[in-house]
DNA sequence: CGCAATTGAGTTGTGCACAACCTAATGGGC
DNA sequence: GCCCATTAGGTTGTGCACAACTCAATTGCG
């Protein structure tokens, strides 16, 4: 029925039952949180990954990251970012331009409209945090645990 | 620069900085865990959502769930499940058939090959759990916190 | 200098996710 | 028995994700 040694060491991984799997909890919670974002970001004409790109650009201020720097921050590759950035450019919140110093690079910089969005969206994180029903301490603990998992996995992949 | 009241009540939601957002931690961790699954599930010719469908079917044993029962368990709608189930049927692990009692329903049941997969995949959860680098207690705590978030969000949506 | 290896971005193809819509089957009220 | 609202599943269209690939620009090494 199941691996009894694994069961002894790691009951939480027992059996192949959906409700016991951390992986499903993570997958379901991630989609649920995106559901919370959807109607909120819709007010600004953005999707969730597009909003993440703006978070990076707002944080960087005046220095314009390249596509691959954005990819490193968000852990997304050019296959995902290229069309996404094209849509954000069409929406008028950013501009893409080839670097003069290195013609391979494409620099991504906010337009005035993109910068203005930051002010208008400052209430968004709080609205989402409240929807989780967690306390601030729980949110911090959850965030740090998740970041540790992500780090562990990516360190292993580099080897 | 930021909402100072929100900052006072909820520093974790401060500013719109990527690294401080629980939402990004959740999104990144979910994708990282899927990256762990990908090469493992590839050995069995499955994707991660396909594996989740099999978890439900294995758990139900002899009673064959309908498409919407699968959707309720996984929180996925027919737009996602219909093509996914068609691919699993083409792969030979399950069969779809209209219910005799109610011609609107489609019952999903495992083939012998689908049932046999369960034995072959019993080691999968442990392999993934180890990759997270978390202790068993941390995994259980994480899972329960995430399930609470998902529940809270879905209860709010029903209203 | 010359050229092979590397890097950066984009494209293509597959598979989710989800909204919006469609059709057929069902069931309750009259 | 008839009608209409509801339910179940499927289809279409958009937008991620990611693997595999292409191509041009750059780098580094002999």
């Amino acid at each position: 029925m199941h691996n009894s040694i694994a069961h002894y060491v790691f009951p939480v991984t027992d059996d192949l039952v959906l409700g016991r799997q951390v992986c499903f909890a993570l997958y379901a919670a991630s989609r649920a949180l995106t559901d919370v974002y959807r109607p909120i970001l819709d007010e600004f004409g953005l999707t969730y990954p597009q909003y993440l790109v703006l978070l990076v650009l707002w944080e960087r201020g005046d220095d314009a990251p390249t596509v691959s720097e954005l990819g490193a921050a968000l852990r997304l590759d050019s296959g995902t970012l290229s069309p996404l950035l094209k849509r954000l450019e069409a929406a008028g919140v950013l501009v893409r331009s080839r670097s003069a110093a290195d013609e391979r690079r494409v620099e991504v910089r906010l337009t005035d409209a993109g910068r203005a969005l930051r002010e208008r969206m400052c209430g968004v994180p709080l609205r989402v945090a409240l929807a989780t029903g967690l306390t601030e301490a729980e949110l911090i603990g959850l965030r740090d645990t998740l970041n540790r998992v992500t780090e562990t996995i990516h360190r292993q992949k580099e080897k």
Side-chain angles (χ1 to χ4, degrees), chain A:
Chain A
M1 200 53 152
H2 63 265
N3 180 330
S4 61
I5 296 172
H7 180 229
Y8 182 75
V9 178
F10 254 93
V12 76
T13 64
D14 183 30
D15 255 338
L16 293 174
V17 169
L18 189 63
R20 297 192 191 164
Q21 304 266 338
V22 179
C23 66
F24 177 67
L26 194 49
Y27 166 78
S30 180
R31 283 188 298 126
L33 209 55
T34 304
D35 282 349
V36 174
Y37 271 103
R38 200 184 318 283
I40 296 174
L41 295 180
D42 213 50
E43 300 171 23
F44 303 95
L46 295 172
T47 65
Y48 179 63
Q50 289 170 6
Y51 168 71
L52 294 178
V53 167
L54 288 183
L55 283 183
V56 176
L57 293 175
W58 289 333
E59 195 172 342
R60 299 263 173 141
D62 285 336
D63 96 297
T66 64
V67 172
S68 36
E69 285 167 352
L70 278 173
L74 298 172
R75 299 195 181 283
L76 291 170
D77 69 4
S78 68
T80 300
L81 283 174
S82 282
L84 191 159
L85 293 171
K86 217 178 279 184
R87 282 185 286 270
L88 283 176
E89 187 170 37
V93 301
L94 57 79
V95 175
R96 294 175 307 147
S97 57
R98 290 276 164 189
S99 160
D102 184 342
E103 288 283 342
R104 290 171 306 178
R105 294 166 180 265
V106 168
E107 295 164 350
V108 179
R109 64 187 80 244
L110 291 164
T111 60
D112 289 341
R115 268 183 293 274
L117 263 183
R118 181 175 190 167
E119 301 299 321
R120 295 170 53 207
M121 298 185 76
C122 65
V124 170
L126 183 60
R127 289 167 71 184
V128 175
L130 291 174
T132 64
L134 297 184
T135 66
E136 188 200 323
E138 286 173 321
L139 283 171
I140 293 173
L142 178 59
R143 182 194 65 190
D144 294 347
T145 302
L146 292 172
N147 284 338
R148 200 146 45 87
V149 170
T150 304
E151 267 314 293
T152 302
I153 291 173
H154 283 113
R155 256 200 314 278
Q156 284 168 5
K157 253 203 342 193
E158 281 158 19
K159 294 177 199 168

